[in-house]
């Protein structure tokens, strides 16, 4: 099969499985909806933007990014869960092409979701407490918010390919993103290492102001997350290749 054909087949899988196409909508609703609700409630008390405006803008993403992670898990995890991955690997002799198509679909979907979600969060905040676009770092913060989504999807897709189990991936990644890394950053002695975890680095990249407790800059935070995503993608490729040999 050609690369275009494989990409088309992956797109058809995504659009015909309700759990896959509905999950990005849940992520969007959580991210923008919670941001709008919290800022609307906060705006009734105080119209000032606070020390770092990005905290309010991306408040909903702290909940929505769990659903974003599920997008990456489902893109490949469902095939492992139903054993259909063997049929997919048989249909596409070049295993890297199949895996690459999944990564391309995930990254493209993440870019679209990131753009809509981040723009929606900015608009929701602007309509409630207001957004000052002249604040230094606002443009970088917006770009980081957009790129956070495809990086997280690629990261979770790669880790799911390594685990080869939908339940294990959901059971490990979603609680870790929802509470795990936040708890780790609050533990003395662990905080220094926890700030290099992918989601913590990604969230730091979205901040408009410097955090004295973080030992790297905003762009470096985005780079750290990108390196995590690249490592996971490479590990997933190796896992899919090994699975193909054994399945054959």
């Amino acid at each position: 099969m050609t690369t275009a054909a494989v990409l088309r087949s992956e797109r058809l899988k995504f659009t015909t499985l309700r759990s896959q196409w509905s999950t990005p909508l849940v992520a969007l609703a959580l991210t923008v909806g919670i941001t709008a609700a919290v800022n609307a409630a906060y705006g009734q008390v105080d119209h000032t933007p606070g020390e770092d405006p990005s905290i309010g803008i991306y408040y909903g993403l702290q909940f929505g990014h769990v659903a974003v992670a599920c997008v990456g898990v489902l893109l490949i995890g469902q095939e492992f869960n139903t054993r259909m991955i063997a049929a997919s690997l048989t249909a596409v002799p070049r295993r890297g092409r199949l895996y690459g198509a999944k990564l391309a679909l995930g990254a493209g979907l993440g870019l679209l979701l990131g753009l809509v979600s981040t723009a929606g969060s900015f608009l929701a905040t602007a309509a409630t407490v207001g957004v000052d676009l002249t604040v230094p770092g606002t443009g970088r913060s917006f770009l980081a918010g957009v790129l956070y989504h495809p990086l997280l999807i690629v990261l979770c897709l790669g880790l799911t390919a390594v685990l080869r189990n939908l339940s294990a991936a959901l059971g490990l990644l979603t609680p870790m993103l929802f509470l795990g890394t936040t708890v780790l950053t609050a533990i003395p002695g662990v905080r220094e290492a926890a700030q290099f975890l992918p989601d913590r680095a990604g969230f730091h990249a979205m901040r408009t102001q410097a955090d004295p407790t973080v030992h790297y800059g905003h762009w470096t935070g985005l780079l750290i997350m990108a390196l995590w995503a690249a490592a996971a993608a490479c590990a997933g490729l190796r896992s899919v290749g090994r699975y193909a040999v054994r399945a054959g």
Side-chain angles (χ1 to χ4, degrees):
M1 296 180 69
T2 65
T3 300
V6 178
L7 283 170
R8 185 164 55 251
S9 68
E10 291 301 316
R11 179 181 59 80
L12 288 173
K13 290 177 189 176
F14 172 79
T15 54
T16 53
L17 291 173
R18 181 181 299 176
S19 60
Q20 291 198 13
W21 61 257
S22 62
T23 305
L25 299 180
V26 172
L28 179 62
L30 285 173
T31 301
V32 179
I34 292 177
T35 294
V38 169
N39 281 294
Y42 178 76
Q44 296 178 4
V45 179
D46 188 354
H47 287 280
T48 59
E51 295 182 0
D52 191 333
S54 65
I55 295 177
I57 294 172
Y58 293 109
Y59 191 90
L61 185 57
Q62 298 180 69
F63 302 88
H65 75 157
V66 178
V68 177
C70 290
V71 174
V73 172
L74 292 172
L75 283 175
I76 194 170
Q78 285 189 330
E79 291 193 55
F80 279 112
N81 197 49
T82 59
R83 306 291 183 182
M84 286 301 296
I85 188 66
S88 296
L89 293 172
T90 302
V92 185
R94 297 186 62 176
R95 306 329 189 195
R97 179 172 292 175
L98 173 68
Y99 182 68
K102 291 183 179 295
L103 287 177
L105 175 65
L109 178 63
L111 277 174
L112 178 60
L113 178 60
L115 181 61
V116 176
S117 177
T118 304
S121 295
F122 268 78
L123 289 174
T125 307
T128 50
V129 298
V131 173
D132 185 0
L133 298 178
T134 63
V135 172
T138 301
R140 171 190 44 75
S141 176
F142 184 91
L143 178 61
V146 173
L147 294 179
Y148 180 86
H149 293 72
L151 290 176
L152 183 60
I153 288 177
V154 169
L155 172 70
C156 293
L157 193 156
L159 291 178
T160 304
V162 172
L163 294 171
R164 301 177 184 171
N165 188 293
L166 176 66
S167 300
L170 289 174
L172 174 66
L173 294 174
T174 53
M176 191 65 184
L177 288 170
F178 189 62
L179 285 175
T181 57
T182 303
V183 171
L184 289 175
T185 55
I187 301 175
V190 181
R191 184 183 299 113
E192 300 299 318
Q195 65 182 266
F196 290 94
L197 292 173
D199 63 313
R200 292 298 96 194
F203 269 102
H204 179 65
M206 299 178 213
R207 297 292 178 252
T208 56
Q209 298 183 10
D211 185 344
T213 64
V214 178
H215 302 307
Y216 50 81
H218 299 293
W219 288 114
T220 304
L222 194 61
L223 175 61
I224 290 172
M225 188 176 186
L227 290 174
W228 275 101
C234 291
L237 176 60
R238 182 177 178 85
S239 178
V240 169
R242 287 183 170 183
Y243 186 93
V245 171
R246 287 201 292 267

